[in-house]
Amino acid sequence: MEQHSIKLIECPRDAMQGWKQMIPTEKKIAYINALLQVGFDTIDFGSFVSPKAIPQMADTKQVLAGLDLTGSKSKLLAIIANERGAEEAVLYNEISYLGFPLSVSETFQHRNTNSSIAESLKRVEAIQELCIRNNKQLVVYLSMGFGNPYGDSWSEEIVFEKANQLANMGIEIISLADTVGLATADQVKRVTGHLIRNMPEVEIGVHLHSTAVNWREKLEAAYKVGCRRFDSALLGIGGCPMANDELVGNMDTTKVLSFFENKESLHLNAEALQLSLHLAAEIFN
Protein backbone atom coordinates (compact mmCIF):
# COMPACT_ATOMS: atom_id res chain seq x y z
CA MET A 1 0.00 0.00 0.00
CA GLU A 2 1.61 3.24 -1.10
CA GLN A 3 2.01 5.76 1.69
CA HIS A 4 2.03 9.36 0.55
CA SER A 5 0.17 12.02 2.52
CA ILE A 6 0.55 12.20 6.28
CA LYS A 7 -2.16 10.55 8.38
CA LEU A 8 -2.37 11.89 11.92
CA ILE A 9 -4.20 9.69 14.39
CA GLU A 10 -5.15 11.66 17.50
CA CYS A 11 -5.52 9.44 20.57
CA PRO A 12 -7.66 10.99 23.33
CA ARG A 13 -8.62 7.45 24.42
CA ASP A 14 -4.97 6.63 25.07
CA ALA A 15 -4.55 9.88 26.98
CA MET A 16 -7.67 9.41 29.08
CA GLN A 17 -7.65 5.69 29.86
CA GLY A 18 -4.96 5.83 32.53
CA TRP A 19 -5.96 9.19 34.01
CA LYS A 20 -6.48 8.65 37.73
CA GLN A 21 -9.41 11.03 38.22
CA MET A 22 -12.62 10.02 36.46
CA ILE A 23 -13.31 12.42 33.60
CA PRO A 24 -17.00 13.36 33.30
CA THR A 25 -18.68 12.01 30.16
CA GLU A 26 -19.75 15.48 29.02
CA LYS A 27 -16.14 16.71 29.17
CA LYS A 28 -14.99 13.78 27.04
CA ILE A 29 -17.74 14.55 24.52
CA ALA A 30 -16.85 18.26 24.31
CA TYR A 31 -13.16 17.44 23.92
CA ILE A 32 -13.59 14.82 21.21
CA ASN A 33 -16.11 17.00 19.35
CA ALA A 34 -13.48 19.75 19.26
CA LEU A 35 -10.86 17.27 18.00
CA LEU A 36 -13.25 16.14 15.26
CA GLN A 37 -13.09 19.63 13.76
CA VAL A 38 -9.29 19.90 13.67
CA GLY A 39 -8.75 17.76 10.57
CA PHE A 40 -7.02 14.67 11.95
CA ASP A 41 -7.35 11.57 9.78
CA THR A 42 -8.61 9.44 12.67
CA ILE A 43 -9.69 9.93 16.28
CA ASP A 44 -8.96 6.99 18.60
CA PHE A 45 -11.90 7.95 20.80
CA GLY A 46 -12.79 5.06 23.12
CA SER A 47 -12.72 1.35 23.80
CA PHE A 48 -15.11 -1.56 24.17
CA VAL A 49 -13.26 -3.36 26.93
CA SER A 50 -14.05 -4.55 30.45
CA PRO A 51 -14.94 -1.59 32.70
CA LYS A 52 -13.20 -3.47 35.52
CA ALA A 53 -9.95 -3.41 33.56
CA ILE A 54 -10.25 0.17 32.25
CA PRO A 55 -12.91 2.00 34.30
CA GLN A 56 -12.20 5.33 32.58
CA MET A 57 -13.60 3.90 29.31
CA ALA A 58 -16.83 2.50 30.81
CA ASP A 59 -18.84 5.34 29.22
CA THR A 60 -17.61 4.84 25.63
CA LYS A 61 -21.15 4.20 24.31
CA GLN A 62 -22.45 7.38 25.98
CA VAL A 63 -19.51 9.35 24.59
CA LEU A 64 -20.18 8.00 21.10
CA ALA A 65 -23.86 8.99 21.35
CA GLY A 66 -22.80 12.58 22.07
CA LEU A 67 -20.35 12.97 19.19
CA ASP A 68 -21.18 15.21 16.23
CA LEU A 69 -19.47 14.05 13.03
CA THR A 70 -21.11 16.78 10.93
CA GLY A 71 -18.51 18.49 8.75
CA SER A 72 -15.68 16.34 10.11
CA LYS A 73 -13.33 14.46 7.82
CA SER A 74 -12.02 12.41 10.76
CA LYS A 75 -12.89 8.75 11.14
CA LEU A 76 -13.47 7.07 14.51
CA LEU A 77 -11.38 4.21 15.88
CA ALA A 78 -12.32 2.10 18.91
CA ILE A 79 -10.00 -0.27 20.75
CA ILE A 80 -11.18 -3.81 21.47
CA ALA A 81 -9.45 -6.70 23.24
CA ASN A 82 -11.59 -9.68 22.27
CA GLU A 83 -14.45 -10.80 20.06
CA ARG A 84 -17.09 -9.68 22.58
CA GLY A 85 -15.85 -6.09 22.38
CA ALA A 86 -15.60 -6.31 18.59
CA GLU A 87 -19.18 -7.59 18.33
CA GLU A 88 -20.33 -4.49 20.23
CA ALA A 89 -18.15 -2.04 18.29
CA VAL A 90 -19.17 -3.22 14.80
CA LEU A 91 -22.80 -2.35 15.55
CA TYR A 92 -22.04 1.38 15.33
CA ASN A 93 -22.05 2.92 11.86
CA GLU A 94 -20.06 5.89 13.16
CA ILE A 95 -17.02 3.69 13.85
CA SER A 96 -14.73 3.04 10.87
CA TYR A 97 -11.82 1.25 12.56
CA LEU A 98 -11.37 -1.31 15.30
CA GLY A 99 -7.95 -1.43 16.94
CA PHE A 100 -6.51 -4.59 18.50
CA PRO A 101 -3.29 -4.75 20.56
CA LEU A 102 -1.17 -7.77 19.65
CA SER A 103 1.95 -7.86 21.77
CA VAL A 104 5.38 -9.13 20.83
CA SER A 105 5.76 -9.83 24.59
CA GLU A 106 3.94 -12.84 26.06
CA THR A 107 3.89 -11.22 29.52
CA PHE A 108 2.33 -8.02 28.23
CA GLN A 109 -0.25 -9.85 26.09
CA HIS A 110 -1.53 -11.58 29.24
CA ARG A 111 -1.53 -8.31 31.20
CA ASN A 112 -3.25 -6.36 28.45
CA THR A 113 -5.82 -8.82 27.04
CA ASN A 114 -5.72 -11.76 29.46
CA SER A 115 -4.69 -14.15 26.70
CA SER A 116 -1.58 -15.64 25.14
CA ILE A 117 -0.10 -14.42 21.86
CA ALA A 118 -1.30 -17.60 20.15
CA GLU A 119 -4.85 -17.07 21.48
CA SER A 120 -4.70 -13.42 20.47
CA LEU A 121 -3.77 -14.31 16.89
CA LYS A 122 -6.90 -16.48 16.77
CA ARG A 123 -8.87 -13.52 18.11
CA VAL A 124 -7.43 -11.31 15.36
CA GLU A 125 -8.62 -13.81 12.77
CA ALA A 126 -12.15 -13.87 14.20
CA ILE A 127 -12.28 -10.07 14.59
CA GLN A 128 -11.00 -9.57 11.05
CA GLU A 129 -13.92 -11.69 9.76
CA LEU A 130 -16.33 -9.60 11.86
CA CYS A 131 -14.86 -6.40 10.44
CA ILE A 132 -15.16 -7.60 6.84
CA ARG A 133 -18.79 -8.61 7.37
CA ASN A 134 -19.61 -5.24 8.96
CA ASN A 135 -17.64 -2.94 6.65
CA LYS A 136 -15.02 -1.99 9.25
CA GLN A 137 -11.24 -2.04 9.01
CA LEU A 138 -9.04 -3.66 11.64
CA VAL A 139 -5.89 -1.87 12.79
CA VAL A 140 -3.48 -4.14 14.67
CA TYR A 141 -1.00 -2.54 17.07
CA LEU A 142 2.19 -4.54 17.54
CA SER A 143 2.68 -3.54 21.17
CA MET A 144 6.11 -3.84 22.79
CA GLY A 145 7.25 -3.69 19.17
CA PHE A 146 10.70 -2.38 20.07
CA GLY A 147 11.44 -4.49 23.14
CA ASN A 148 9.93 -5.03 26.59
CA PRO A 149 10.93 -4.57 30.24
CA TYR A 150 9.99 -8.13 31.24
CA GLY A 151 12.89 -10.08 29.80
CA ASP A 152 10.67 -11.74 27.18
CA SER A 153 12.34 -12.71 23.92
CA TRP A 154 12.48 -9.86 21.44
CA SER A 155 14.19 -9.49 18.10
CA GLU A 156 13.49 -7.70 14.86
CA GLU A 157 12.87 -11.12 13.30
CA ILE A 158 10.09 -11.84 15.85
CA VAL A 159 8.43 -8.51 14.93
CA PHE A 160 8.71 -9.28 11.21
CA GLU A 161 7.25 -12.77 11.73
CA LYS A 162 4.22 -11.39 13.62
CA ALA A 163 3.68 -8.71 10.98
CA ASN A 164 3.77 -11.35 8.23
CA GLN A 165 1.26 -13.50 10.10
CA LEU A 166 -1.07 -10.49 10.28
CA ALA A 167 -0.62 -9.66 6.60
CA ASN A 168 -1.46 -13.26 5.71
CA MET A 169 -4.76 -12.81 7.61
CA GLY A 170 -5.57 -9.82 5.40
CA ILE A 171 -4.70 -7.10 7.92
CA GLU A 172 -3.99 -3.93 5.93
CA ILE A 173 -2.95 -1.53 8.73
CA ILE A 174 -0.25 -2.38 11.29
CA SER A 175 1.01 0.18 13.79
CA LEU A 176 4.30 -0.43 15.58
CA ALA A 177 3.80 0.52 19.21
CA ASP A 178 6.67 1.72 21.37
CA THR A 179 4.60 0.84 24.44
CA VAL A 180 7.00 1.89 27.20
CA GLY A 181 9.25 4.21 25.18
CA LEU A 182 12.14 1.76 24.89
CA ALA A 183 12.76 2.31 21.18
CA THR A 184 15.89 4.03 19.98
CA ALA A 185 15.78 6.08 16.81
CA ASP A 186 17.94 3.45 15.13
CA GLN A 187 15.48 0.70 16.06
CA VAL A 188 12.58 2.77 14.75
CA LYS A 189 14.47 3.26 11.50
CA ARG A 190 15.38 -0.41 11.06
CA VAL A 191 12.12 -2.07 12.10
CA THR A 192 9.75 0.43 10.48
CA GLY A 193 11.87 0.66 7.34
CA HIS A 194 12.03 -3.12 6.94
CA LEU A 195 8.26 -3.50 7.17
CA ILE A 196 7.58 -0.63 4.75
CA ARG A 197 10.04 -2.03 2.20
CA ASN A 198 8.91 -5.63 2.48
CA MET A 199 5.17 -5.24 3.01
CA PRO A 200 4.03 -2.77 0.35
CA GLU A 201 0.44 -4.06 0.60
CA VAL A 202 0.21 -3.01 4.28
CA GLU A 203 -0.03 0.51 5.68
CA ILE A 204 2.66 0.70 8.38
CA GLY A 205 2.26 3.26 11.15
CA VAL A 206 4.00 4.11 14.39
CA HIS A 207 2.51 4.64 17.84
CA LEU A 208 5.52 6.11 19.58
CA HIS A 209 5.85 6.95 23.25
CA SER A 210 8.63 9.33 24.11
CA THR A 211 10.24 11.62 26.63
CA ALA A 212 10.79 15.34 26.14
CA VAL A 213 14.33 14.70 24.92
CA ASN A 214 13.97 11.91 22.35
CA TRP A 215 10.72 12.57 20.52
CA ARG A 216 12.21 14.31 17.47
CA GLU A 217 14.81 11.68 16.62
CA LYS A 218 12.22 8.89 16.82
CA LEU A 219 9.77 10.80 14.66
CA GLU A 220 12.45 11.68 12.11
CA ALA A 221 13.64 8.07 11.93
CA ALA A 222 10.13 6.83 11.05
CA TYR A 223 9.47 9.65 8.57
CA LYS A 224 12.76 9.18 6.72
CA VAL A 225 12.07 5.51 6.01
CA GLY A 226 8.68 6.35 4.51
CA CYS A 227 6.25 6.08 7.42
CA ARG A 228 3.27 8.37 6.92
CA ARG A 229 0.92 7.20 9.68
CA PHE A 230 1.56 8.69 13.13
CA ASP A 231 -0.32 8.31 16.42
CA SER A 232 -0.06 11.07 19.03
CA ALA A 233 -2.00 12.83 21.78
CA LEU A 234 -2.30 16.49 22.70
CA LEU A 235 -0.03 17.45 25.61
CA GLY A 236 1.74 14.07 25.36
CA ILE A 237 -0.56 12.63 28.01
CA GLY A 238 -1.08 8.92 28.36
CA GLY A 239 0.46 5.59 27.84
CA CYS A 240 -0.76 2.15 28.70
CA PRO A 241 -2.00 1.70 32.29
CA MET A 242 -1.17 -2.00 31.94
CA ALA A 243 2.51 -1.16 31.46
CA ASN A 244 2.94 0.61 34.82
CA ASP A 245 5.40 3.15 33.51
CA GLU A 246 4.63 6.80 34.18
CA LEU A 247 7.95 8.08 32.83
CA VAL A 248 6.91 8.13 29.19
CA GLY A 249 3.76 9.44 27.59
CA ASN A 250 2.31 9.53 24.12
CA MET A 251 4.05 11.48 21.42
CA ASP A 252 2.83 15.07 21.88
CA THR A 253 0.68 16.14 18.92
CA THR A 254 1.92 19.73 19.07
CA LYS A 255 5.49 18.46 18.70
CA VAL A 256 4.42 16.26 15.76
CA LEU A 257 2.81 19.29 14.11
CA SER A 258 5.94 21.38 14.64
CA PHE A 259 8.03 18.58 13.08
CA PHE A 260 5.90 18.54 9.93
CA GLU A 261 5.47 22.32 9.70
CA ASN A 262 7.87 22.88 6.80
CA LYS A 263 7.71 19.35 5.38
CA GLU A 264 4.04 18.58 4.76
CA SER A 265 0.74 20.37 4.18
CA LEU A 266 -1.53 19.12 6.94
CA HIS A 267 -4.59 21.35 6.29
CA LEU A 268 -5.67 21.59 9.92
CA ASN A 269 -8.16 24.00 11.46
CA ALA A 270 -6.05 26.21 13.77
CA GLU A 271 -9.06 27.54 15.67
CA ALA A 272 -10.37 24.04 16.45
CA LEU A 273 -6.85 22.99 17.46
CA GLN A 274 -6.61 25.88 19.94
CA LEU A 275 -10.00 25.00 21.42
CA SER A 276 -8.88 21.36 21.74
CA LEU A 277 -5.69 22.41 23.52
CA HIS A 278 -7.70 24.60 25.89
CA LEU A 279 -10.07 21.69 26.71
CA ALA A 280 -7.14 19.27 27.09
CA ALA A 281 -5.49 21.61 29.61
CA GLU A 282 -8.75 21.68 31.60
CA ILE A 283 -9.14 17.89 31.61
CA PHE A 284 -5.52 16.92 32.23
CA ASN A 285 -4.59 19.31 35.01
Side-chain angles (χ1 to χ4, degrees), residues 178-237:
D178 181 20
T179 315
V180 286
L182 287 172
T184 64
D186 192 51
Q187 271 184 321
V188 172
K189 175 184 172 183
R190 288 199 314 272
V191 179
T192 312
H194 178 96
L195 293 184
I196 288 171
R197 287 190 302 275
N198 291 284
M199 302 175 74
E201 76 286 3
V202 178
E203 181 181 343
I204 302 295
V206 289
H207 182 103
L208 299 172
H209 289 185
S210 65
T211 63
V213 296
N214 64 9
W215 67 271
R216 182 179 288 277
E217 58 199 46
K218 289 187 182 187
L219 204 52
E220 193 153 33
Y223 180 69
K224 281 187 171 177
V225 294
C227 183
R228 295 296 179 266
R229 180 186 177 91
F230 298 89
D231 288 24
S232 61
L234 286 180
L235 307 183
I237 303 293

Side-chain angles (χ1 to χ4, degrees), residues 166-181:
L166 294 170
N168 290 336
M169 291 178 189
I171 304 301
E172 295 181 341
I173 306 174
I174 296 173
S175 191
L176 288 163
D178 181 20
T179 315
V180 286

Side-chain angles (χ1 to χ4, degrees), residues 14 17 103-105 107-108 111-112 142-152 154 176-184 187-188 207-212 214 218 238-251:
D14 206 5
Q17 68 177 7
S103 185
V104 183
S105 154
T107 303
F108 189 65
R111 288 176 68 159
N112 205 25
L142 277 179
S143 60
M144 299 289 174
F146 299 94
N148 63 80
Y150 312 117
D152 291 347
W154 181 90
L176 288 163
D178 181 20
T179 315
V180 286
L182 287 172
T184 64
Q187 271 184 321
V188 172
H207 182 103
L208 299 172
H209 289 185
S210 65
T211 63
N214 64 9
K218 289 187 182 187
C240 184
M242 299 303 181
N244 292 341
D245 191 336
E246 297 182 2
L247 297 177
V248 291
N250 279 297
M251 184 70 72

Side-chain angles (χ1 to χ4, degrees), residues 36-89:
L36 282 165
Q37 298 305 315
V38 176
F40 297 112
D41 180 84
T42 303
I43 306 292
D44 173 355
F45 83 98
S47 59
F48 291 81
V49 296
S50 163
K52 287 181 184 173
I54 312 285
Q56 191 72 258
M57 292 290 107
D59 60 353
T60 287
K61 290 178 197 170
Q62 290 88 348
V63 169
L64 182 58
L67 297 184
D68 182 5
L69 295 163
T70 310
S72 175
K73 72 171 192 177
S74 301
K75 297 170 283 293
L76 293 179
L77 180 150
I79 295 293
I80 43 90
N82 51 35
E83 293 100 313
R84 184 198 57 75
E87 284 163 1
E88 278 193 272

